[in-house]
Amino acid sequence: MEHVPPPAEELALLDRELAQLDARRAQLLTRRAWLVAALQPKAPDAPRWSTPPLGHGWAPAQPWGAVPKAAKPSAPRSAQNVLLTLGGLLLTVAAVAFTLVSWGSMGIGGRAAVLALVTVAALAAPALLLRRKLAATAEALAALALVLTLLDAYAIHAVAAPDADGLTFTAIASAVLAALWAAYGLALGKLHLPLPAAVFFVQWPLLLGAWAAGAPALVVGWALLATAVVDGAITLWGKGLGVRVTAGIGLVVMGSAALLTGLGESLTADSPLGAVLPGLLLLTAAVAALAGAWRAPSGYAQLGGAVAGLAAVAAVGGVLRAAVPGAWHVPVYLLCGLALLSVVRARLPRTAGRGVLLASGAVVAGALVWALPGVAAVLLGPVQLVAEVWAGAPDGFRGALGEAMAWSELAAAPLVLAVVAGGLGAAYRRWPTLVRLAAPLAAPGVKARDAAGAGALALGWGAVLLAAATLGVPYPVAVALETVLVAGLLAVAVLGAGREAGAGAADAAAAGVGATGAAGSGSGEAAGGSEPYAGTAGAGVGSGSGGAAGRGGPSAVAVTALVLAVGGAVSLGLLSLAAEAATYAVLGALTVLFAGAALRMRPVVEQAVLAVAAVVWGTALTGCVAGSLGLAPHEAAPLLLVVPAVTVLLGARLRNHPVALPVELAGGLGALVAIGLAAPRAPFLALVLALCGVLAAGAAVRPERRPVAGYLAAVLFVTATWVRLAASEVSAPEAYTLPVTVPALVVGLLRRRKDPEASSWTAYGPGLAATLLPSLAVAWGDPDWQRPLLLGVAALVITLLGARYRLQAPLLLGGAVLALVTLHELAPYVVQVAGALPRWLPPALAGLLLLAVGATYEQRLRDARKLKDVLGRMR
């Protein structure tokens, strides 16, 4: 048996082999260059042998000759080009000045003779210079001759034919100049300028002639198209890069102008008969583009195929568009674009056929861009119902969405979405047949199939929603329809994820068996020394056959269904706010649906999303119950804690399941909402904080939640105490906090004796914070000196004890309180001193401080790290 390496290993092996080949090729080129240099004549005093160049890869005993240095050119090429360019520009400026300024000081014969003589001399000089191998000078004089021919044309129009129409004369002059410079360039083939100049002049005769004749826009379009065809022929068969580049630019400009002209005339046609002639222009352009794509290189062939496809759609669609009402124009173009898919049966070159398929995709994408805003309006329209909750069911679905959209103009949008969805669904279901048909042009893979299925699902869902809006179904029907759609999407997500999980498990088992066989074959290969690339084709076939099942996660269809279900549920929840009964029915159904889907879902991430959504819908349902009972927001806050309590119990039930944490965090968000609702009323806020503390303490019973939930429970209880004291307008909170602080510190001391490794924050933090922080809040508003003094002394003692026994919580809490008390006492004096200082002094001091810190930044950073290490070693 022969070892078949995995694709990644084989790819690395190929890269190493190619790198070695490149290195060997570089060595051979280096050796060849030295040999060529060694065969050249050498100076008498030059050494015959020397050491080889570094990295040569040859044996040291081989003879190496000294590579002679190339002689430095006496005149750099760049300097020569600059001089020639400047000389040509000066001569051109002189010729223009002579023609425009000094023209009137000579007679007609003298002027004609001078220009003719100078032009002939400028045209003849490059031929003589080329014989002497002065190509750069010849190019410069050819550029001067080009300008002179333009001046000759201007002079002929100004003197010999002053009454001639400017556009007509320019068209004739462009044709003459194009023929002249084409012949000149062919005669002097070594010059690079004449032929591109001839191509430039070719662009104007037809266009300017049609314009001068006052031809209609369609005739101008034909002139542009004929010029583009000539440019395309030159691009394909022209000689020289400059000729092809110039013709290519002209092809793009003139071809685009011709297509835009034909498209504009087609879109403005009032009848099918009036759209025939523009369609004929577009069809001719399509045939020309396809003919060019047939012979062009691959990238340009694909572009030509795309242009041909778009032009054909515009031609046929323009005729059909004029025969249907305005709302159905886009579906007509869509059907024409889908008809381009028949190119898979045509015998076109691969790249050109791909371009036609790209054109079909572009038409479909444009139709979707036109239709999808209607779907967005259906999904986002119910947002306006938030301002008028339970104001009563509207007359119909459109009433709940608002009247901003012109629904009559979107009558055909559902059809567009349904047609595209049907096509993608058919491709998804009959993928092997599609792959066989598209094999001559493309090789779509498994990802393309998944994308087709996901697109079919999303567009079909949008088509149903948009159809309900455009038809104006009653409000109850719309609510029921969206609920059924959400349920269907959840079913697709669950079934799709389950099917993928099963297929992935089966493929993993098959891969294990294959890996065992591969290991055996690998050992055999090592023993027999077989070729390392043997069996590569077989490996590719095996990986391709198992790719669909072995992706290791939910398919794109399942993920898309889940995303659509969540988005549709949000829109449905907003839509149900119009009526109280609808709200209860929808939120209850969503809670049940998402909870049931979470129970059946296999992948962890998708299961967590569904579970969190179920918690959110349950929280919203609880808020609706509070609204039905007529409770004020602060009175409804305790009721909202029902769902967080359920999530805590559910988390205890799930224990270490990966979904437990997201569910509990979702419940925590509900608790935050409850705290926000109770914030305006301090008594209710204290109650809600205390209840949240109870929930956090219940979660802290579990060992895996204790490190976070324990601290959170302590903070919530202490905060609830402070809020309660503030609500009762207690001016001496120490009378209430000290009885809590002393037992708490005693319990912490006993805990530390039993477990010396216990954190000081757990042992002493809650007890110290219960008194220090409320006293600090009161001390900042106390005008007397006794409380700040006593609080400062207590904070100082606590800080010293923390430093003495290396306890982090007393040190930081005591130090922070002491610093804040000191700042409070010194604030009036700081304000007085600041008022007495000059205005410029504080900014100056701040600047000096920043400079000092910047200059000693590394030392300050080390000090901060030392402080961090010291605090980290404390308990």
Side-chain angles (χ1 to χ4, degrees):
M1 297 177 64
E2 295 179 346
H3 172 58
V4 178
E9 181 179 346
E10 183 181 358
L11 179 61
L13 183 61
L14 290 175
D15 289 340
R16 287 195 297 270
E17 292 284 345
L18 290 174
Q20 293 174 2
L21 291 175
D22 290 340
R24 181 60 175 164
R25 184 175 185 274
Q27 295 168 2
L28 295 175
L29 289 176
T30 303
R31 176 64 175 172
R32 180 184 182 279
W34 181 88
L35 291 173
V36 171
L39 293 175
Q40 293 178 356
K42 303 179 179 61
D45 57 345
R48 181 173 180 78
W49 306 107
S50 69
T51 58
L54 295 177
H56 56 83
W58 294 82
Q62 289 178 325
W64 291 82
V67 179
K69 295 184 179 180
K72 186 176 180 180
S74 58
R77 189 76 174 177
S78 58
Q80 179 187 11
N81 293 336
V82 170
L83 293 175
L84 291 175
T85 304
L86 289 177
L89 287 176
L90 290 175
L91 289 175
T92 303
V93 171
V96 172
F98 169 76
T99 305
L100 298 179
V101 177
S102 303
W103 188 257
S105 61
M106 299 179 64
I108 184 64
R111 287 177 285 183
V114 169
L115 267 181
L117 180 61
V118 173
T119 302
V120 171
L123 289 173
L128 300 177
L129 293 173
L130 288 176
R131 293 179 182 177
R132 297 178 177 270
K133 297 183 179 181
L134 299 175
T137 308
E139 291 284 355
L141 288 179
L144 175 62
L146 176 63
V147 176
L148 289 175
T149 54
L150 292 175
L151 294 176
D152 287 335
Y154 167 76
I156 292 173
H157 179 265
V159 176
D163 299 330
D165 180 64
L167 289 176
T168 304
F169 184 85
T170 305
I172 298 174
S174 300
V176 173
L177 289 175
L180 172 65
W181 282 100
Y184 188 73
L186 293 175
L188 300 179
K190 295 183 179 181
L191 291 179
H192 298 89
L193 180 63
L195 289 180
V199 174
F200 173 77
F201 289 126
V202 166
Q203 311 302 313
W204 309 109
L206 293 178
L207 174 61
L208 296 179
W211 194 358
L218 202 57
V219 176
V220 175
W222 281 105
L224 291 170
L225 179 59
T227 306
V229 170
V230 174
D231 288 331
I234 296 174
T235 304
L236 289 175
W237 295 297
K239 297 181 180 179
L241 180 61
V243 174
R244 292 196 298 271
V245 169
T246 306
I249 296 174
L251 172 62
V252 172
V253 175
M254 296 299 177
S256 301
L259 290 174
L260 291 176
T261 302
L263 180 62
E265 292 295 311
S266 178
L267 292 177
T268 55
D270 297 332
S271 62
L273 186 60
V276 170
L277 291 179
L280 184 60
L281 172 62
L282 292 171
L283 279 179
T284 306
V287 172
L290 193 59
W294 206 291
R295 298 170 176 83
S298 96
Y300 299 103
Q302 189 166 339
L303 178 61
V307 171
L310 292 175
V313 169
V316 180
V319 177
L320 299 177
R321 177 203 64 85
V324 297
W328 297 90
H329 288 173
V330 174
V332 165
Y333 285 105
L334 174 63
L335 294 177
C336 295
L338 293 176
L340 290 179
L341 296 176
S342 61
V343 73
V344 296
R345 295 183 177 274
R347 295 184 178 180
L348 290 178
R350 185 180 181 89
T351 51
R354 284 182 178 179
V356 177
L357 291 180
L358 287 177
S360 177
V363 174
V364 173
L368 292 179
V369 168
W370 172 78
L372 288 179
V375 180
V378 174
L379 293 176
L380 301 178
V383 174
Q384 64 177 348
L385 298 177
V386 176
E388 299 179 357
V389 178
W390 296 348
D395 296 335
F397 193 16
R398 293 184 184 179
L401 302 177
E403 300 297 335
M405 291 292 294
W407 296 107
S408 59
E409 298 179 2
L410 295 176
L415 177 62
V416 170
L417 297 177
V419 169
V420 180
L424 293 177
Y428 181 77
R429 296 289 295 176
R430 300 181 177 273
W431 191 254
T433 304
L434 177 63
V435 172
R436 186 172 64 256
L437 291 174
L441 300 181
V446 177
K447 291 184 178 180
R449 181 177 186 269
D450 289 344
L457 182 64
L459 295 177
W461 171 71
V464 175
L465 289 179
L466 192 54
T470 54
L471 294 176
V473 300
Y475 175 75
V477 175
V479 172
L481 177 63
E482 290 203 30
T483 305
V484 172
L485 287 177
V486 171
L489 290 171
L490 289 176
V492 172
V494 172
L495 294 177
R499 188 179 301 112
E500 282 295 320
D507 186 71
V513 176
T516 305
S521 65
S523 61
E525 178 189 344
S530 61
E531 180 65 29
Y533 295 119
T536 303
V541 174
S543 62
S545 61
R551 288 186 295 273
S555 64
V557 177
V559 174
T560 303
L562 179 60
V563 173
L564 295 178
V566 174
V570 173
S571 178
L572 175 59
L574 295 173
L575 182 65
S576 67
L577 295 178
E580 184 175 2
T583 302
Y584 279 106
V586 167
L587 293 181
L590 291 178
T591 303
V592 173
L593 288 173
F594 277 86
L599 293 176
R600 298 297 301 273
M601 180 67 72
R602 292 186 183 181
V604 175
V605 175
E606 288 75 7
Q607 189 179 28
V609 171
L610 292 170
V612 169
V615 172
V616 172
W617 303 132
T619 305
L621 185 61
T622 307
C624 292
V625 172
S628 297
L629 295 176
L631 300 178
H634 62 276
E635 296 173 341
L639 184 61
L640 289 180
L641 296 178
V642 173
V643 175
V646 173
T647 59
V648 171
L649 297 176
L650 186 59
R653 175 70 176 174
L654 295 174
R655 293 187 177 275
N656 294 324
H657 195 281
V659 180
L661 181 60
V663 169
E664 293 179 76
L665 291 177
L669 292 177
L672 287 178
V673 174
I675 293 173
L677 292 177
R681 299 293 182 93
F684 279 91
L685 178 58
L687 174 62
V688 171
L689 290 173
L691 293 176
C692 292
V694 172
L695 296 178
V701 174
R702 298 155 54 197
E704 67 273 10
R705 298 286 185 264
R706 190 171 300 154
V708 176
Y711 290 114
L712 180 61
V715 171
L716 289 172
F717 281 133
V718 172
T719 306
T721 303
W722 301 340
V723 174
R724 181 68 261 182
L725 293 176
S728 301
E729 298 181 356
V730 174
S731 58
E734 293 82 4
Y736 299 89
T737 57
L738 284 176
V740 177
T741 296
V742 174
L745 293 178
V746 172
V747 172
L749 181 61
L750 296 176
R751 169 72 184 280
R752 287 275 298 173
R753 286 183 177 180
K754 184 178 179 180
D755 182 14
E757 297 298 324
S759 173
S760 62
W761 288 100
T762 304
Y764 306 120
L768 293 175
T771 294
L772 289 178
L773 298 181
S775 299
L776 178 64
V778 176
W780 267 67
D782 193 350
D784 298 328
W785 57 273
Q786 295 88 352
R787 185 186 300 278
L789 176 62
L790 294 175
L791 181 60
V793 171
L796 177 61
V797 172
I798 292 171
T799 304
L800 295 177
L801 290 175
R804 170 66 179 80
Y805 294 101
R806 303 180 64 82
L807 297 175
Q808 197 177 97
L811 177 63
L812 295 182
L813 280 175
V817 172
L818 179 61
L820 291 175
V821 170
T822 305
L823 178 61
H824 173 264
E825 295 302 312
L826 295 179
Y829 303 102
V830 172
V831 172
Q832 292 178 3
V833 172
L837 292 176
R839 296 296 181 92
W840 55 268
L841 189 57
L845 294 176
L848 291 175
L849 176 62
L850 292 177
L851 289 176
V853 172
T856 61
Y857 174 75
E858 295 295 335
Q859 182 62 37
R860 301 287 79 77
L861 189 60
R862 287 192 291 269
D863 295 342
R865 289 172 178 169
K866 290 180 181 178
L867 179 60
K868 178 184 177 182
D869 295 338
V870 171
L871 292 176
R873 288 194 293 269
M874 293 184 177
R875 300 304 301 170

